[in-house]
């Protein structure tokens, strides 16, 4: 099938490349000329395991190309996937302006009937609005299908190729069938394809992300209570997660959720509730708990140093919003860094993949270290924010030698208390009793 992808970011690029890999002819359109140039040369502009290999292979096979020319992309595709960013506006509502621009280009440039597919996460009713917007300006039929994306950065290729489920929301049965067929190669493991009304599909995406965010905020709230009572949250988790009705996933306390999806999607869903006149307090609480949680590591540091952070040197391990990605959008580490800088501390950062993105945002306000241990030299404390594998079993002796004070704030509860005590560290956790060396 001839497919075009409008927007070649995390979602669009993975979608386009995986569809090319199953034999479709794919054109990726983006407004970012530098990105298109890099992609056309076979370079992946983001860190996403396995993606660059697939880009190169499919470029070479002639099934994939990239362009900045809307006419070329829109004329090529029988199916047009819209995977454009929908970042939050200051009031938390998603900004649909970029999507509207793309819809207007389709209306102007379509040279025949097309099926448009919204991959972006959009509020209930957006598909209907876009379809009407195009119908008012275009003589060709362009039914809009909602096909929300559930991939996770860091395992995006695998998630796309082996989804838990595919959701197709459509008001037009023929358009739904086209999109179902495109996905058949990815559900040979019998993962369900859920075909439903378009508005239901739009809501599924927000409901799913908010359910996951809610589990994170819930365990963070429990962890904060544990701190108050001196209870180890891991004991509580052991009792919770072994209940088959609750399950094991997304119950890890930490410095709050981040990334380009959860914070924005929870707020957008709260707006949908409010606009519909339905009580939004549960959803609002998920967000509020997270806003407070993102300050927690900073507040702990400030308390530990009696409010005197000016001139203190703080090492930060892990900047990306989670391991295996270079994405720092809404990363909890940024809240910490911002507050540390405001308090006059010196920040020494290390991340295996996200340093370049951090540098773009912070310039010379932060010190960057390609080698994790070098960030520790002369530091008054280390804060572990993102649990990359390489931080899990580090050389504790070397860490002690390099740190000026052997103080760790373990924002992911990865270091065992006994290990910390054995190596003479003072270690503070989230929802677990601190380790304080005997004087
Ligand atoms: N990142 C994720 O893990 C993820 C997962 C599921 C769903 N989503 C949703 O998918 C959507 C895209 O997210 P993303 O993370 O891929 O965004 P992104 O910012 O990485 O990519 C968006 C791309 O669209 C391009 N673009 C903007 N306007 C354009 C236009 N008019 N024509 C062509 N290209 C244009 C941008 O240059 C950019 O490359 C969002 O709605 C997001 O919520 C994201």
């Amino acid at each position: 099938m001839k497919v075009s992808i409008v927007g070649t970011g995390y979602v669009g690029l993975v979608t386009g490349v995986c569809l090319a890999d199953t034999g479709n002819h794919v054109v990726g359109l983006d407004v970012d000329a530098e990105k298109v140039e890099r992609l056309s040369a076979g370079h992946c502009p983001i860190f996403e395991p396995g993606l660059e290999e697939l880009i190169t292979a499919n470029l070479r096979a002639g099934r994939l190309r990239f362009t900045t020319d809307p006419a070329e992309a829109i004329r090529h595709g029988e199916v047009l996937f819209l995977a454009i960013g929908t970042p939050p506006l200051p009031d938390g509502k998603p900004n649909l302006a970029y999507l509207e621009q793309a819809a207007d280009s389709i209306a102007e440039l379509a040279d025949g009937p097309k099926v448009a597919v919204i991959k972006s996460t959009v509020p209930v009713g957006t598909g209907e609005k876009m379809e009407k917007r195009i119908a008012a300006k275009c003589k060709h039929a362009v039914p809009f299908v909602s096909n929300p994306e559930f991939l996770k950065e860091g395992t995006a290729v695998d998630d796309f190729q082996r989804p838990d489920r595919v959701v197709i929301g459509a008001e037009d049965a023929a358009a739904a069938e086209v999109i179902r067929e495109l996905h058949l190669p990815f559900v040979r493991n019998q993962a369900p394809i859920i075909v439903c009304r378009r508005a239901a599909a739009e809501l599924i995406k927000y409901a799913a992300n908010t359910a996951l965010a809610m589990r994170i905020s819930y365990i963070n709230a429990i962890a904060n209570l544990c701190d108050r009572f001196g209870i180890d949250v891991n004991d509580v988790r052991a009792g919770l997660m072994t209940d088959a009705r609750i399950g094991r996933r997304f119950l890890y306390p930490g410095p709050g959720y981040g990334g380009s999806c959860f914070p924005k999607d929870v707020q957008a869903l709260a707006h949908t509730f409010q606009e519909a006149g339905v009580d939004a307090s549960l959803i609002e609480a998920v967000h509020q708990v997270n806003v407070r949680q993102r300050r927690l590591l900073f507040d702990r540091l400030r308390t530990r140093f009696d409010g005197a952070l000016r001139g203190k040197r703080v090492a930060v391990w892990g900047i990306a919003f989670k391991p295996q990605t270079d994405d720092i959008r809404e990363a909890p580490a940024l809240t910490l860094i911002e507050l540390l800088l405001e308090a006059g501390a010196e920040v020494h950062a290390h991340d295996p993949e996200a340093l370049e993105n951090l540098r773009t945002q912070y310039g010379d306000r932060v010190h960057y270290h390609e080698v994790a241990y070098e960030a520790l030299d002369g530091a008054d404390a280390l804060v572990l924010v993102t649990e990359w594998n390489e931080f899990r079993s580090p050389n504790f002796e070397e860490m002690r030698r390099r740190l000026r004070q052997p103080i760790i704030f373990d924002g992911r509860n990865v270091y065992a208390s006994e290990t910390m005590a054995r190596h003479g560290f003072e270690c503070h956790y989230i929802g677990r009793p601190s380790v304080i060396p005997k004087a």
Side-chain angles (χ1 to χ4, degrees), residues 1-29 39 44 46 48-52 54-55 58 63-66 79-84 115-121 145-153 155-163 166-168 178-179 182-183 185-186 205:
M1 204 173 286
K2 287 182 173 176
V3 173
S4 292
I5 309 285
V6 185
T8 56
Y10 285 86
V11 168
L13 190 53
V14 172
T15 304
V17 167
C18 290
L19 289 175
D21 205 51
T22 49
N24 300 290
H25 282 84
V26 176
V27 171
L29 169 71
L39 284 167
C44 187
I46 53 174
E48 188 57 56
L51 189 55
E52 186 157 287
L54 283 181
I55 294 173
N58 285 285
R63 288 189 300 265
L64 179 65
R65 65 178 199 274
F66 297 96
V79 176
L80 309 173
F81 280 91
L82 305 182
I84 292 169
V115 176
V117 187
I118 302 190
K119 270 265 168 225
S120 306
T121 304
V145 174
S146 166
N147 172 221
E149 183 50 60
F150 300 99
L151 62 76
K152 302 181 288 298
E153 289 177 23
T155 53
V157 172
D158 197 53
D159 290 343
F160 192 93
Q161 293 176 331
R162 271 175 283 277
V166 172
V167 172
I168 299 172
V178 171
I179 306 312
L182 261 182
H183 284 89
F186 305 109
K205 175 64 192 176

Side-chain angles (χ1 to χ4, degrees), residues 86-103:
T86 48
L89 291 164
D91 67 358
K93 282 188 194 171
N95 183 353
L96 301 179
Y98 308 109
L99 206 60
E100 285 166 0
Q101 280 163 16

Side-chain angles (χ1 to χ4, degrees), residues 395-410:
N395 182 336
F396 291 113
E397 285 307 311
E398 179 163 2
M399 288 167 70
R400 268 218 64 162
R401 273 199 306 277
R402 287 178 179 257
L403 282 164
R404 205 166 72 82
Q405 305 195 61
I407 304 176
I408 297 179
F409 289 81
D410 177 355

